[in-house]
Short mmCIF file of all heavy atoms in Angstrom, two decimals:
data_model
loop_
_atom_site.label_atom_id
_atom_site.label_comp_id
_atom_site.label_asym_id
_atom_site.label_seq_id
_atom_site.Cartn_x
_atom_site.Cartn_y
_atom_site.Cartn_z
N THR K 236 -120.90 17.25 -93.07
CA THR K 236 -122.17 17.89 -93.34
C THR K 236 -122.58 18.77 -91.99
O THR K 236 -122.72 18.25 -90.96
CB THR K 236 -123.20 16.99 -93.63
OG1 THR K 236 -122.90 16.26 -94.85
CG2 THR K 236 -124.60 17.71 -93.94
N GLY K 237 -122.68 20.07 -92.27
CA GLY K 237 -123.23 20.90 -91.29
C GLY K 237 -122.23 21.23 -90.11
O GLY K 237 -122.55 21.77 -89.08
N THR K 238 -120.98 20.83 -90.31
CA THR K 238 -119.96 21.02 -89.30
C THR K 238 -119.61 22.50 -89.17
O THR K 238 -119.65 23.24 -90.18
CB THR K 238 -118.61 20.33 -89.72
OG1 THR K 238 -118.87 18.90 -89.96
CG2 THR K 238 -117.55 20.51 -88.65
N ARG K 239 -119.46 22.94 -87.96
CA ARG K 239 -119.12 24.32 -87.71
C ARG K 239 -117.75 24.47 -87.08
O ARG K 239 -117.45 23.99 -86.06
CB ARG K 239 -120.14 24.89 -86.66
CG ARG K 239 -121.60 24.91 -87.12
CD ARG K 239 -122.59 25.45 -86.14
NE ARG K 239 -122.62 24.82 -84.90
CZ ARG K 239 -123.26 23.63 -84.57
NH1 ARG K 239 -123.86 23.02 -85.64
NH2 ARG K 239 -123.15 23.07 -83.42
N PHE K 240 -116.79 25.17 -87.93
CA PHE K 240 -115.53 25.34 -87.62
C PHE K 240 -115.17 26.72 -86.99
O PHE K 240 -115.67 27.66 -87.57
CB PHE K 240 -114.62 25.12 -88.78
CG PHE K 240 -114.55 23.69 -89.38
CD1 PHE K 240 -115.38 23.44 -90.45
CD2 PHE K 240 -113.85 22.76 -88.79
CE1 PHE K 240 -115.28 22.18 -91.01
CE2 PHE K 240 -113.80 21.37 -89.40
CZ PHE K 240 -114.54 21.12 -90.46
N GLY K 241 -114.58 26.78 -85.88
CA GLY K 241 -114.17 28.03 -85.37
C GLY K 241 -115.14 28.70 -84.48
O GLY K 241 -116.33 28.26 -84.36
N ASP K 242 -114.74 29.82 -83.88
CA ASP K 242 -115.53 30.54 -82.97
C ASP K 242 -116.25 31.62 -83.80
O ASP K 242 -115.73 32.58 -84.24
CB ASP K 242 -114.60 31.29 -81.97
CG ASP K 242 -115.41 32.02 -80.84
OD1 ASP K 242 -116.64 32.05 -81.03
OD2 ASP K 242 -114.79 32.58 -80.04
N ASN K 243 -117.55 31.37 -83.91
CA ASN K 243 -118.41 32.35 -84.68
C ASN K 243 -118.67 33.62 -84.02
O ASN K 243 -119.44 34.47 -84.55
CB ASN K 243 -119.70 31.62 -85.07
CG ASN K 243 -119.53 30.51 -86.07
OD1 ASN K 243 -118.63 30.60 -86.93
ND2 ASN K 243 -120.26 29.47 -86.08
N SER K 244 -118.06 33.93 -82.84
CA SER K 244 -118.27 35.15 -82.22
C SER K 244 -117.38 36.28 -82.91
O SER K 244 -117.50 37.41 -82.58
CB SER K 244 -117.79 35.06 -80.75
OG SER K 244 -116.55 34.81 -80.63
N GLY K 245 -116.49 35.84 -83.81
CA GLY K 245 -115.70 36.81 -84.45
C GLY K 245 -114.23 36.76 -84.17
O GLY K 245 -113.48 37.66 -84.58
N ASN K 246 -113.81 35.70 -83.45
CA ASN K 246 -112.43 35.60 -83.06
C ASN K 246 -111.57 35.39 -84.30
O ASN K 246 -111.68 34.50 -85.00
CB ASN K 246 -112.31 34.38 -82.18
CG ASN K 246 -110.78 34.12 -81.78
OD1 ASN K 246 -109.95 34.94 -81.97
ND2 ASN K 246 -110.58 32.85 -81.26
N GLN K 247 -110.67 36.41 -84.55
CA GLN K 247 -109.82 36.36 -85.72
C GLN K 247 -108.87 35.28 -85.77
O GLN K 247 -108.41 34.81 -86.77
CB GLN K 247 -109.01 37.77 -85.82
CG GLN K 247 -110.01 38.89 -86.01
CD GLN K 247 -109.14 40.22 -86.31
OE1 GLN K 247 -108.21 40.14 -87.09
NE2 GLN K 247 -109.60 41.23 -85.79
N ALA K 248 -108.54 34.65 -84.57
CA ALA K 248 -107.57 33.60 -84.54
C ALA K 248 -108.16 32.27 -84.96
O ALA K 248 -107.37 31.30 -85.15
CB ALA K 248 -106.97 33.50 -83.08
N SER K 249 -109.48 32.20 -84.98
CA SER K 249 -110.03 30.81 -85.27
C SER K 249 -109.72 30.41 -86.64
O SER K 249 -109.75 31.27 -87.70
CB SER K 249 -111.61 30.92 -85.15
OG SER K 249 -112.13 31.85 -85.99
N SER K 250 -109.36 29.26 -86.90
CA SER K 250 -109.01 28.71 -88.19
C SER K 250 -109.13 27.17 -88.28
O SER K 250 -109.18 26.54 -87.17
CB SER K 250 -107.55 29.08 -88.60
OG SER K 250 -106.69 28.48 -87.74
N VAL K 251 -109.03 26.72 -89.45
CA VAL K 251 -109.11 25.24 -89.58
C VAL K 251 -108.17 24.89 -90.79
O VAL K 251 -108.13 25.67 -91.79
CB VAL K 251 -110.52 24.61 -89.92
CG1 VAL K 251 -111.18 25.25 -91.23
CG2 VAL K 251 -110.44 23.13 -90.05
N SER K 252 -107.38 23.85 -90.62
CA SER K 252 -106.41 23.50 -91.65
C SER K 252 -106.47 22.06 -92.08
O SER K 252 -106.55 21.17 -91.21
CB SER K 252 -105.00 23.78 -91.13
OG SER K 252 -104.02 23.41 -92.12
N PHE K 253 -106.58 21.90 -93.38
CA PHE K 253 -106.59 20.62 -94.00
C PHE K 253 -105.34 20.45 -94.94
O PHE K 253 -105.39 19.52 -95.73
CB PHE K 253 -107.87 20.26 -94.86
CG PHE K 253 -109.06 20.00 -93.99
CD1 PHE K 253 -109.84 21.07 -93.47
CD2 PHE K 253 -109.50 18.70 -93.77
CE1 PHE K 253 -111.00 20.84 -92.79
CE2 PHE K 253 -110.60 18.48 -92.98
CZ PHE K 253 -111.41 19.44 -92.48
N THR K 254 -104.35 21.25 -94.67
CA THR K 254 -103.22 21.29 -95.60
C THR K 254 -102.56 19.85 -95.70
O THR K 254 -102.24 19.24 -94.72
CB THR K 254 -102.22 22.24 -95.03
OG1 THR K 254 -102.77 23.62 -95.02
CG2 THR K 254 -100.92 22.34 -95.96
N GLY K 255 -102.45 19.50 -96.93
CA GLY K 255 -101.69 18.26 -97.21
C GLY K 255 -102.51 16.97 -96.92
O GLY K 255 -101.93 15.90 -96.93
N SER K 256 -103.77 17.11 -96.56
CA SER K 256 -104.55 15.90 -96.26
C SER K 256 -104.92 15.12 -97.45
O SER K 256 -104.90 15.67 -98.58
CB SER K 256 -105.82 16.29 -95.48
OG SER K 256 -106.64 17.16 -96.19
N ARG K 257 -105.33 13.84 -97.31
CA ARG K 257 -105.71 12.98 -98.46
C ARG K 257 -107.10 12.38 -98.15
O ARG K 257 -107.23 11.79 -97.18
CB ARG K 257 -104.68 11.87 -98.63
CG ARG K 257 -103.24 12.41 -98.87
CD ARG K 257 -103.08 12.96 -100.29
NE ARG K 257 -101.74 13.24 -100.62
CZ ARG K 257 -101.25 14.49 -100.34
NH1 ARG K 257 -101.95 15.47 -99.72
NH2 ARG K 257 -99.92 14.68 -100.68
N PHE K 258 -108.02 12.48 -99.16
CA PHE K 258 -109.31 11.77 -99.00
C PHE K 258 -109.40 10.67 -99.92
O PHE K 258 -109.46 10.79 -101.13
CB PHE K 258 -110.44 12.81 -99.30
CG PHE K 258 -110.56 13.94 -98.32
CD1 PHE K 258 -109.74 15.08 -98.33
CD2 PHE K 258 -111.47 13.80 -97.23
CE1 PHE K 258 -109.95 16.07 -97.39
CE2 PHE K 258 -111.64 14.74 -96.29
CZ PHE K 258 -110.85 15.88 -96.33
N HIS K 259 -109.33 9.38 -99.36
CA HIS K 259 -109.42 8.14 -100.14
C HIS K 259 -110.91 7.75 -100.13
O HIS K 259 -111.17 6.57 -99.96
CB HIS K 259 -108.50 7.10 -99.66
CG HIS K 259 -107.03 7.43 -99.73
ND1 HIS K 259 -106.39 7.25 -100.90
CD2 HIS K 259 -106.14 7.93 -98.93
CE1 HIS K 259 -105.12 7.62 -100.75
NE2 HIS K 259 -104.88 8.12 -99.63
N GLY K 260 -111.81 8.64 -100.40
CA GLY K 260 -113.21 8.34 -100.33
C GLY K 260 -113.95 9.65 -100.53
O GLY K 260 -113.32 10.77 -100.66
N SER K 261 -115.22 9.66 -100.56
CA SER K 261 -116.01 10.88 -100.77
C SER K 261 -115.81 11.86 -99.65
O SER K 261 -115.73 11.37 -98.45
CB SER K 261 -117.48 10.63 -101.09
OG SER K 261 -118.05 9.86 -99.95
N ALA K 262 -115.82 13.17 -99.83
CA ALA K 262 -115.68 14.11 -98.87
C ALA K 262 -116.89 15.04 -98.89
O ALA K 262 -117.11 15.68 -100.00
CB ALA K 262 -114.46 14.89 -99.00
N HIS K 263 -117.71 15.09 -97.88
CA HIS K 263 -118.99 15.94 -97.96
C HIS K 263 -118.90 17.09 -96.87
O HIS K 263 -118.72 16.79 -95.72
CB HIS K 263 -120.11 15.04 -97.64
CG HIS K 263 -120.46 14.02 -98.69
ND1 HIS K 263 -121.30 14.28 -99.78
CD2 HIS K 263 -119.92 12.77 -98.85
CE1 HIS K 263 -121.32 13.17 -100.53
NE2 HIS K 263 -120.47 12.26 -100.01
N PHE K 264 -118.84 18.34 -97.39
CA PHE K 264 -118.84 19.45 -96.59
C PHE K 264 -120.10 20.25 -96.79
O PHE K 264 -120.03 21.53 -96.68
CB PHE K 264 -117.61 20.30 -96.95
CG PHE K 264 -116.24 19.71 -96.40
CD1 PHE K 264 -115.61 18.85 -97.29
CD2 PHE K 264 -115.68 19.89 -95.25
CE1 PHE K 264 -114.36 18.28 -96.95
CE2 PHE K 264 -114.54 19.39 -94.81
CZ PHE K 264 -113.87 18.53 -95.66
N ASN K 265 -121.18 19.62 -97.11
CA ASN K 265 -122.43 20.35 -97.37
C ASN K 265 -122.84 21.13 -96.18
O ASN K 265 -122.76 20.66 -94.99
CB ASN K 265 -123.56 19.35 -97.68
CG ASN K 265 -123.14 18.33 -98.67
OD1 ASN K 265 -122.22 17.56 -98.50
ND2 ASN K 265 -123.89 18.23 -99.73
N TYR K 266 -123.20 22.48 -96.39
CA TYR K 266 -123.65 23.24 -95.30
C TYR K 266 -122.63 23.57 -94.15
O TYR K 266 -123.03 24.06 -93.08
CB TYR K 266 -124.97 22.84 -94.70
CG TYR K 266 -126.07 22.51 -95.80
CD1 TYR K 266 -126.19 21.15 -96.16
CD2 TYR K 266 -126.86 23.55 -96.38
CE1 TYR K 266 -127.22 20.86 -97.26
CE2 TYR K 266 -127.72 23.24 -97.35
CZ TYR K 266 -127.91 21.91 -97.77
OH TYR K 266 -128.85 21.69 -98.74
N ALA K 267 -121.44 23.18 -94.36
CA ALA K 267 -120.44 23.45 -93.38
C ALA K 267 -120.10 24.88 -93.25
O ALA K 267 -120.25 25.62 -94.12
CB ALA K 267 -119.11 22.65 -93.69
N GLN K 268 -119.81 25.31 -92.03
CA GLN K 268 -119.51 26.73 -91.84
C GLN K 268 -118.02 26.85 -91.33
O GLN K 268 -117.59 26.32 -90.30
CB GLN K 268 -120.34 27.34 -90.69
CG GLN K 268 -121.85 27.25 -90.97
CD GLN K 268 -122.74 27.69 -89.85
OE1 GLN K 268 -122.16 27.99 -88.75
NE2 GLN K 268 -124.04 27.58 -90.00
N PHE K 269 -117.26 27.43 -92.28
CA PHE K 269 -115.72 27.60 -92.03
C PHE K 269 -115.43 28.97 -91.37
O PHE K 269 -116.27 30.01 -91.65
CB PHE K 269 -115.01 27.50 -93.31
CG PHE K 269 -115.14 26.06 -93.97
CD1 PHE K 269 -116.17 25.80 -94.86
CD2 PHE K 269 -114.21 25.06 -93.63
CE1 PHE K 269 -116.28 24.52 -95.41
CE2 PHE K 269 -114.34 23.77 -94.13
CZ PHE K 269 -115.34 23.55 -95.03
N PRO K 270 -114.36 29.08 -90.65
CA PRO K 270 -113.99 30.29 -89.98
C PRO K 270 -113.39 31.34 -90.93
O PRO K 270 -113.31 31.12 -92.13
CB PRO K 270 -113.05 29.82 -88.90
CG PRO K 270 -112.35 28.63 -89.51
CD PRO K 270 -113.43 28.00 -90.34
N ARG K 271 -112.77 32.36 -90.29
CA ARG K 271 -112.17 33.45 -91.08
C ARG K 271 -111.03 32.89 -91.98
O ARG K 271 -110.90 33.44 -93.09
CB ARG K 271 -111.60 34.47 -90.09
CG ARG K 271 -111.04 35.69 -90.79
CD ARG K 271 -110.58 36.68 -89.73
NE ARG K 271 -111.63 37.16 -88.84
CZ ARG K 271 -112.39 38.20 -89.15
NH1 ARG K 271 -112.21 38.88 -90.23
NH2 ARG K 271 -113.42 38.62 -88.29
N THR K 272 -110.25 31.98 -91.46
CA THR K 272 -109.26 31.45 -92.23
C THR K 272 -109.38 29.89 -92.42
O THR K 272 -109.38 29.19 -91.40
CB THR K 272 -107.78 31.75 -91.67
OG1 THR K 272 -107.72 33.24 -91.44
CG2 THR K 272 -106.70 31.21 -92.53
N THR K 273 -109.34 29.38 -93.64
CA THR K 273 -109.48 27.97 -93.88
C THR K 273 -108.45 27.53 -94.88
O THR K 273 -108.21 28.20 -95.90
CB THR K 273 -110.87 27.65 -94.54
OG1 THR K 273 -111.84 28.10 -93.64
CG2 THR K 273 -111.05 26.15 -94.82
N TRP K 274 -107.68 26.51 -94.44
CA TRP K 274 -106.60 25.97 -95.32
C TRP K 274 -107.07 24.60 -95.86
O TRP K 274 -107.14 23.68 -95.15
CB TRP K 274 -105.30 25.81 -94.55
CG TRP K 274 -104.77 27.05 -93.89
CD1 TRP K 274 -105.13 27.68 -92.74
CD2 TRP K 274 -103.75 28.01 -94.42
NE1 TRP K 274 -104.51 28.80 -92.49
CE2 TRP K 274 -103.63 29.04 -93.53
CE3 TRP K 274 -103.10 27.94 -95.68
CZ2 TRP K 274 -102.72 30.09 -93.81
CZ3 TRP K 274 -102.11 28.96 -95.89
CH2 TRP K 274 -102.02 30.03 -94.95
N LEU K 275 -107.35 24.62 -97.13
CA LEU K 275 -107.66 23.42 -97.87
C LEU K 275 -106.67 23.33 -99.03
O LEU K 275 -106.98 22.76 -100.09
CB LEU K 275 -109.08 23.39 -98.37
CG LEU K 275 -110.16 22.91 -97.31
CD1 LEU K 275 -111.46 23.59 -97.60
CD2 LEU K 275 -110.24 21.47 -97.27
N ASP K 276 -105.45 23.66 -98.79
CA ASP K 276 -104.36 23.67 -99.87
C ASP K 276 -103.71 22.36 -99.85
O ASP K 276 -103.53 21.71 -98.85
CB ASP K 276 -103.52 24.89 -99.68
CG ASP K 276 -102.77 24.91 -98.31
OD1 ASP K 276 -103.58 24.63 -97.30
OD2 ASP K 276 -101.47 25.01 -98.27
N GLN K 277 -103.12 22.07 -101.02
CA GLN K 277 -102.36 20.76 -101.26
C GLN K 277 -103.12 19.58 -100.81
O GLN K 277 -102.53 18.61 -100.25
CB GLN K 277 -101.06 20.91 -100.48
CG GLN K 277 -100.15 22.17 -100.93
CD GLN K 277 -98.89 22.27 -100.11
OE1 GLN K 277 -98.08 21.41 -100.14
NE2 GLN K 277 -98.78 23.35 -99.46
N VAL K 278 -104.38 19.65 -100.87
CA VAL K 278 -105.29 18.53 -100.51
C VAL K 278 -105.52 17.68 -101.76
O VAL K 278 -105.75 18.20 -102.84
CB VAL K 278 -106.62 18.98 -99.93
CG1 VAL K 278 -107.56 17.81 -99.55
CG2 VAL K 278 -106.34 19.84 -98.70
N THR K 279 -105.53 16.29 -101.56
CA THR K 279 -105.92 15.50 -102.69
C THR K 279 -107.25 14.84 -102.41
O THR K 279 -107.48 14.15 -101.33
CB THR K 279 -104.84 14.32 -102.82
OG1 THR K 279 -103.54 14.94 -103.16
CG2 THR K 279 -105.25 13.43 -104.01
N PHE K 280 -108.19 15.09 -103.27
CA PHE K 280 -109.58 14.49 -103.19
C PHE K 280 -109.63 13.42 -104.23
O PHE K 280 -109.75 13.71 -105.44
CB PHE K 280 -110.62 15.50 -103.46
CG PHE K 280 -110.72 16.59 -102.38
CD1 PHE K 280 -110.00 17.81 -102.61
CD2 PHE K 280 -111.44 16.47 -101.29
CE1 PHE K 280 -110.12 18.82 -101.70
CE2 PHE K 280 -111.60 17.51 -100.33
CZ PHE K 280 -110.91 18.67 -100.54
#
């Protein structure tokens, strides 16, 4: 909740990856701020 990922100054290289991750419980990303590139692919919730 409210997590800020990446450099909000506009750095194009900033990214966050959850590729292939597994959540064996609730996942809350309320009000989170993700960067220019976000990988939430192949994730199991």
Side-chain angles (χ1 to χ4, degrees):
T236 300
T238 304
R239 300 183 298 283
F240 294 100
D242 183 359
N243 289 328
S244 66
N246 177 14
Q247 295 186 42
S249 63
S250 64
V251 59
S252 176
F253 286 83
T254 299
S256 59
R257 302 287 185 271
F258 289 86
H259 293 279
S261 60
H263 295 268
F264 290 89
N265 313 54
Y266 308 100
Q268 296 175 5
F269 293 92
R271 185 181 297 273
T272 302
T273 300
W274 301 86
L275 278 153
D276 57 313
Q277 303 177 61
V278 177
T279 300
F280 296 93

